[in-house]
Amino acid sequence: MISSHPFSGLNMCMSGSATSCEECLLIHPSCAWCAQEEFGRGRTLTSRCDLSPNLQKRGCEARFIEYPTSSISVLQNMPLSSKGSGLTQYGVVQIMPQKISLSLRPGDQTWFGLQVRQVEDYPVDLYYLMDLSLSMKDDLDTIRNLGTKLALEMSKLTSNFRLGFGSFVDKNMSPFSYTASKYQENPCNGYKLFPNCVPTFGFRHILSLTDKVDRFNEEVQKQMVSRNRDAPEGGFDAILQAAVCKEEIGWRKEAYHLLVFATDDVPHLALDGRLGGLVQPHDGQCHLNEDNEYSASEKMDYPSLALLGEKLAENNIFLIFAVTKRLYVIYKDFTALIPGTTVEILDQDSKNVIQLIVAAYNNIRSKVELSVWDHPEDISLSFTATCQDGKPLPGLRKCADLKIGDTVSFNVSVEARSCPPRGTDQSFTIKPVGFKERLEVSVDYQCDCGCSRTAQSNSSICSSIGTYNCGTCHCEPGYLGARCECQEGEASSMYLSACREAEGKQICSGRGECSCNQCLCYESEFGKIYGSYCECDDFSCARHKGVLCSGHGECHCGECKCHAGYIGDNCNCSTETSSCIADDGQMCSGRGSCVCGRCQCTEPGAFGDTCEKCPTCPDACGTKRECIECRLFNSGRLADNQTCQRLCKDEIITVETLKTEEPGAVLCLYKTDNDCVMKFTYSEHASGQSVLTALKEPECGGGPDAMMVLLAVVGSILLVGVVLLAAWKLVITIHDRREFSRFQSARSRARYEMASNPLYKQPVSTHFVETDFNMYGKSFNGGVH
């Protein structure tokens, strides 16, 4: 696919300083040149350089328009394989296509696609490189039967497995080792805890890669530890020899190369050798003598990280650092500098080494990362990955969390920034890290115009004092004009008017002189002044931190033209997104967006380089729960995927009693499979470190008694019945009392009404009693007398 470059705003073709077809093509990939002889008569020379549609509108015939474009040719495109072992193993294809050819026009972006698949049952070569310094004695005892066990585990992953063994200590010279005569044969002489050990050595190749795992066990059982003086070891010397001594080690071309580096201390790095007087840098070559020992240990310095990474990649070797927990962070930093390297935590006595190797192998096979070899300086590459979810990820050149057999695709944008010297053939290679297979890309450049092949020197069209080329005259020194008809210094009012951009404007924009109908621009200490009217320059563009176009673009007439992989007014915004990918494979942990190569967190409370820290996010407890499960109890989703160490790097503190009053700490709870409750707190320290404080064991109640449950249920039913009866009785009683009260009230009202009725009189009864009559009779009789 070939890109198009429509203009927005300034037409750089017309404003450029192109006086030839080749110069026109370099201004911008949308610029075209008209080679028609009569085109533009009376105009300035640069008018021949314009957009192709504009040239045709102005009368240039299509056959005279020079407009080369970029193109791609696929030279080899074998289909991807599905299996790696068996009869097909010497024809395994894991990348498609295998060869392409690019024809690039400078400034034009071209895209091509490629696919990568890690095939099933691919052969594996594993070389076990072990630190045999005194502190690793218990580890040596642990791995004496490693071969058989490891072969059994690896047989579940591949049917074609080979195993080899080598060891290292350090340079046998002061100040790295004990050099006194009494220590030459036995460096442990006088050491009470372990009085006998073998002489110090740099690197010793013991067993070439073989499928006879019993040989591995036999050789390991013969080994004895040695002793050196300082804490750091000479392991990087050993890694380099194991990588470059291909014949001696026995690395196969058609196999995954795994180099397991087991140690319990830090390594010596380049320049450390100067402490012992070694000033010669390592040459990156194999130096094994007839005894398969490193012969240049006391002649050359330790290798640098850059040299180590180069040789490992060159020989398609995946390096696995198997180190103790206290060294994890140090070696993790090394992995960022050495592509294709992983680090796993080794128990103090190496008892988990088999699980470690299997986990590292699965981790390696779960991702694909592209690397570029022999990258030409004038070519920009930009990658877009499409992984298993089908979503394009601009700026990313790797995919993770893959299953064996998955196919991923990448789009690669290519842009040539300039033209190399004529006749230069360039090429580069794209290959997945650790893969033998690669995509070979050859490049040629569309920098010449076809019309230049018919150039005429001393042409009559050019007054016989110039070369006619692509419709224009290139005059001899001292002559100017469209047909070389003028000499420098001649001027007239007619010529002066042609040197103004518009009426009232300065001649040649005040930055040049008008001579024979053309502007001759002044020189400037800041850069180049150019254009038909000297209106343009290459130094008046936006800057970032004082650097023109941030150093990632070219300045054309006031505007930055960014190289591939950069955008923005000053080209300071990278489209690379690999730095925004979190450990879980999500862009900015799903809590933000990647802007200019950095995460901008949009979820409230989220922070960190990839927005991975967020105690207040709704999913924070759920995310950290998985780490608690796999780190403390070796359970949960992450334990099954064997990605616990990669994703869960937070410090976990276990306590008997959990304190929840710590400011900024978020309390998280979840129910376990056996109905217990696990509690932990999640907080972020000022140092930026995430800390999880968890109970040692989930809180669980005692198991319920069946009879007690039954009695409780029956009692509850009876209690409910009694309560209901009591409630019913209470309602009836209240109802009866209300009715009785109404009756009493009605009765009282009836009495009152009878007493106050004026038509009703209470009857009066009169009783005459004899006693009374006699009394009244006596009175009456007395009156008669």
Side-chain angles (χ1 to χ4, degrees), residues 65-297:
I65 294 178
E66 294 283 342
Y67 182 55
T69 57
S70 300
S71 61
I72 300 172
S73 299
V74 178
L75 306 179
Q76 185 177 349
N77 195 24
M78 296 170 60
L80 296 170
S81 303
S82 57
K83 283 187 73 69
S85 291
L87 298 175
T88 62
Q89 65 173 292
Y90 294 103
V92 173
V93 178
Q94 297 188 102
I95 186 170
M96 182 178 76
Q98 296 81 43
K99 288 183 180 181
I100 65 172
S101 175
L102 301 179
S103 182
L104 301 179
R105 175 177 171 178
D108 193 15
Q109 287 190 21
T110 305
W111 290 267
F112 65 87
L114 62 97
Q115 291 183 312
V116 181
R117 176 190 296 165
Q118 298 213 50
V119 300
E120 299 178 9
D121 197 24
Y122 200 73
V124 176
D125 287 347
L126 188 149
Y127 191 78
Y128 195 87
L129 184 57
M130 185 174 182
D131 178 0
L132 283 189
S133 58
L134 192 57
S135 58
M136 293 288 284
K137 181 181 181 300
D138 54 345
D139 301 75
L140 182 60
D141 295 334
T142 302
I143 71 161
R144 293 197 186 277
N145 294 310
L146 173 66
T148 306
K149 298 175 182 176
L150 184 57
L152 181 63
E153 285 298 320
M154 292 300 292
S155 66
K156 301 174 184 177
L157 304 173
T158 178
S159 62
N160 195 335
F161 175 67
R162 299 200 310 172
L163 188 60
F165 182 70
S167 61
F168 67 90
V169 183
D170 206 345
K171 296 182 184 295
N172 190 15
M173 58 187 300
S174 180
F176 313 115
S177 300
Y178 295 94
T179 56
S181 56
K182 67 175 182 177
Y183 295 123
Q184 290 301 307
E185 296 301 321
N186 181 14
C188 296
N189 189 1
Y191 186 64
K192 295 181 180 180
L193 295 178
F194 194 76
N196 295 304
C197 56
V198 299
T200 307
F201 58 92
F203 164 66
R204 182 177 294 152
H205 169 53
I206 299 168
L207 178 66
S208 298
L209 292 162
T210 178
D211 55 2
K212 297 178 176 58
V213 294
D214 290 339
R215 290 273 295 114
F216 181 91
N217 296 339
E218 291 172 11
E219 293 298 333
V220 171
Q221 289 171 7
K222 296 177 186 176
Q223 303 308 308
M224 292 183 62
V225 293
S226 183
R227 186 187 183 197
N228 61 321
R229 172 174 283 175
D230 60 353
E233 319 292 5
F236 279 10
D237 268 343
I239 291 174
L240 187 61
Q241 293 304 295
V244 299
C245 298
K246 297 180 284 188
E247 312 281 333
E248 293 80 359
I249 303 298
W251 297 115
R252 293 177 290 179
K253 289 185 178 180
E254 298 283 346
Y256 279 111
H257 301 159
L258 306 183
L259 177 57
V260 179
F261 178 79
T263 185
D264 64 349
D265 224 316
V266 295
H268 276 296
L269 302 174
L271 301 182
D272 284 358
R274 296 192 176 191
L275 296 171
L278 302 179
V279 296
Q280 181 182 349
H282 204 291
D283 60 5
Q285 302 299 315
C286 177
H287 296 281
L288 290 186
N289 59 23
E290 60 275 5
D291 297 323
N292 279 330
E293 289 196 8
Y294 178 40
S295 60
S297 181

Side-chain angles (χ1 to χ4, degrees), residues 107 109 415 417 549 552-554 559-573:
Q109 287 190 21
E415 179 187 338
R417 296 195 294 268
C549 298
H552 302 302
E554 309 295 335
E559 291 188 359
C560 285
K561 178 191 171 190
C562 301
H563 298 155
Y566 292 91
I567 57 174
D569 292 339
N570 55 13
C571 302
N572 71 319
C573 185

Side-chain angles (χ1 to χ4, degrees), residues 450-651:
C451 56
S452 296
R453 302 189 190 100
T454 59
Q456 304 170 16
S457 58
N458 298 322
S459 172
S460 59
I461 301 175
C462 304
S463 306
S464 299
I465 50 176
T467 300
Y468 181 73
N469 186 11
C470 295
T472 62
C473 286
H474 297 273
C475 305
E476 296 291 338
Y479 292 90
L480 299 170
R483 296 291 178 260
C484 304
E485 69 274 17
C486 297
Q487 285 187 297
E488 286 187 12
E490 293 183 2
S492 71
S493 59
M494 178 185 68
Y495 293 155
L496 292 175
S497 64
C499 292
R500 286 189 174 93
E501 187 174 4
E503 192 65 34
K505 293 278 184 128
Q506 284 184 294
I507 294 174
C508 299
S509 304
R511 304 202 293 180
E513 293 180 354
C514 184
S515 178
C516 196
N517 202 32
Q518 297 179 63
C519 284
L520 300 179
C521 302
Y522 298 138
E523 292 185 359
S524 171
E525 60 181 316
F526 300 109
K528 180 181 178 182
I529 298 174
Y530 61 93
S532 303
Y533 310 101
C534 301
E535 75 278 13
C536 292
D537 59 59
D538 61 1
F539 52 83
S540 296
C541 291
R543 298 172 183 263
H544 179 66
K545 296 183 178 179
V547 180
L548 189 68
C549 298
S550 306
H552 302 302
E554 309 295 335
C555 181
H556 283 285
C557 205
E559 291 188 359
C560 285
K561 178 191 171 190
C562 301
H563 298 155
Y566 292 91
I567 57 174
D569 292 339
N570 55 13
C571 302
N572 71 319
C573 185
S574 172
T575 58
E576 183 76 21
T577 59
S578 57
S579 58
C580 295
I581 302 298
D583 287 333
D584 61 1
Q586 293 190 78
M587 186 72 70
C588 299
S589 304
R591 298 172 179 147
S593 56
C594 190
V595 179
C596 298
R598 294 192 174 189
C599 283
Q600 290 189 356
C601 306
T602 54
E603 182 79 29
F607 62 100
D609 291 340
T610 57
C611 306
E612 74 281 5
K613 301 178 184 298
C614 187
T616 58
C617 287
D619 61 340
C621 285
T623 302
K624 300 303 178 183
R625 167 189 171 172
E626 295 178 338
C627 292
I628 293 289
E629 288 177 327
C630 76
R631 288 271 296 277
L632 296 186
F633 308 110
N634 196 29
S635 62
R637 182 181 65 88
L638 298 184
D640 294 338
N641 289 344
Q642 299 177 333
T643 56
C644 189
Q645 296 295 343
R646 179 170 63 87
L647 297 181
C648 301
K649 301 169 186 173
D650 301 333
E651 180 184 0

Side-chain angles (χ1 to χ4, degrees), residues 42 44 114 190 199 211 232 242 248 292 328 342 348 359 382 387 410 415 514 565 568 613 648 669 735 772:
T44 60
L114 62 97
D211 55 2
E248 293 80 359
N292 279 330
Y328 179 84
T342 59
Q348 291 293 336
S382 178
C387 304
F410 299 88
E415 179 187 338
C514 184
K613 301 178 184 298
C648 301
L669 303 92
H735 179 268
D772 297 331

